[in-house]
């Protein structure tokens, strides 16, 4: 499986502008079997004024953002995994949707462990899915989930070949990569990690999107380019 991990500069606002940047980046990059976007990369994770409330961007599961991600998957004959502020009734979730090359939804995952400032987000209701994409068993956790995933999704990690890890990481010491390399070694799993980068919001922990192999080695890593940077690697079944 060829994986394109997108690192997207922090921006706050409706998804249209960032969706256009993502589309342009995919047009300019080599084809891939799977494309991964960072957590809440289309709307922004936090505003320049420090607001974490993403509810103004909430949409239905078949709203315009989901349709745009589906269209990208069809156009590039790939599986696109991207974020959605998902509204269901009175609840709003920090969600990630995947759409296959035919445009149909492959999975929807709701972040199970919203970070402390994400007071708007309802905790996800279901365990992470394990789906086969291009012959590779694939699962997911989102950002703060990683602190709990080895306990509450150990079975899924043991079954999967690849863990998708979209994040909007905030950490003075940036423990993200050591955590990921440890997970890769413990479960013998590939990890594709798409993180936000500095933009209108600059916080410690941004950057360093990467792909980690089952031995814990970084086989691809972002260089911190502005806009949308594409990091590519080939992932094989365990």
């Amino acid at each position: 499986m060829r994986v394109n991990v997108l690192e997207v500069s922090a921006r706050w606002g409706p998804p249209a502008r960032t969706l256009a940047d993502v589309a342009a980046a995919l047009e300019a990059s080599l084809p891939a079997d799977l494309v991964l976007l960072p957590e809440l990369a289309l709307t922004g994770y936090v505003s320049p004024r420090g607001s974490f409330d993403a509810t103004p961007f909430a949409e239905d599961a078949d709203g315009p953002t989901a349709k745009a991600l589906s269209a990208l998957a069809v156009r590039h004959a790939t599986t696109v995994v991207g974020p959605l502020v998902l509204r269901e009734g009175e609840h709003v979730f920090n969600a990630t949707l995947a759409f296959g090359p035919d445009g149909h939804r492959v999975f929807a995952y709701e972040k199970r462990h919203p970070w402390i400032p994400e007071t708007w987000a309802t905790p996800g209701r279901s365990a992470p899915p394990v789906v086969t994409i291009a012959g590779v068993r694939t699962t997911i956790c989102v950002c703060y989930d990683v602190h709990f995933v080895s306990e509450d999704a150990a079975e899924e990690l043991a079954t999967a070949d690849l863990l998708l890890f979209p994040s909007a990481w905030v950490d003075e010491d940036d423990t993200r990569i050591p955590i990921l390399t440890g997970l890769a070694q413990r479960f013998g799993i590939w990890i594709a990690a798409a993180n936000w980068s500095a933009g209108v919001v600059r916080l410690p922990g941004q950057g360093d999107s990467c792909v980690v192999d089952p031995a814990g080695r970084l086989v691809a890593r972002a260089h911190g380019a502005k806009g949308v940077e594409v990091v590519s690697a080939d992932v094989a079944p365990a």
Side-chain angles (χ1 to χ4, degrees):
M1 173 200 282
R2 185 71 170 177
V3 177
N4 281 352
V5 172
L6 273 57
E7 183 168 288
V8 181
S9 296
R11 181 183 282 157
W12 183 256
R17 185 178 172 189
T18 302
L19 275 167
D21 290 346
V22 167
L26 293 182
E27 291 288 349
S29 61
L30 293 174
D33 299 297
L34 186 148
V35 173
L36 176 64
L37 278 65
E39 176 188 21
L40 296 183
L42 300 179
T43 58
Y45 184 74
V46 58
S47 78
R49 295 186 176 183
S51 171
F52 285 85
D53 183 10
T55 55
F57 309 122
E59 300 179 17
D60 295 338
D62 59 353
T65 296
K67 290 176 180 176
L69 292 172
S70 173
L72 283 174
V74 171
R75 179 172 181 80
H76 296 280
T78 188
T79 296
V80 172
V81 183
L84 178 68
V85 183
L86 173 63
R87 183 181 297 281
E88 287 192 5
E90 298 179 354
H91 300 289
V92 179
F93 299 93
N94 182 342
T96 304
L97 308 184
F99 294 93
D102 60 0
H104 291 111
R105 194 168 72 188
V106 177
F107 69 76
Y109 173 70
E110 302 154 0
K111 186 177 182 181
R112 298 180 80 181
H113 300 278
W115 190 39
I116 296 166
E118 290 176 57
T119 55
W120 59 270
T122 300
R125 299 164 289 187
S126 302
V130 179
V131 298
T132 299
I133 301 171
V136 175
R137 296 183 303 267
T138 304
T139 190
I140 185 169
C141 73
V142 176
C143 207
Y144 199 58
D145 284 343
V146 79
H147 297 295
F148 311 91
V149 70
S150 60
E151 284 74 36
D152 61 23
E155 182 177 346
E156 288 79 8
L157 292 176
T159 302
D161 305 304
L162 170 66
L163 172 65
L164 304 178
F165 183 65
S167 64
W169 197 259
V170 181
D171 188 353
E172 289 285 350
D173 299 320
D174 200 358
T175 57
R176 183 176 56 96
I177 288 180
I179 290 171
L180 296 180
T181 56
L183 271 176
Q185 292 170 330
R186 176 177 174 181
F187 290 95
I189 194 170
W190 291 83
I191 301 177
N195 195 30
W196 64 340
S197 61
V200 296
V201 175
R202 294 175 177 268
L203 289 170
Q206 292 175 320
D208 278 337
S209 297
C210 60
V211 178
V212 183
D213 75 7
R217 298 172 297 207
L218 272 66
V219 298
R221 191 171 188 173
H223 301 293
K226 293 182 179 179
V228 179
E229 183 176 355
V230 181
V231 178
S232 298
D234 291 320
V235 172

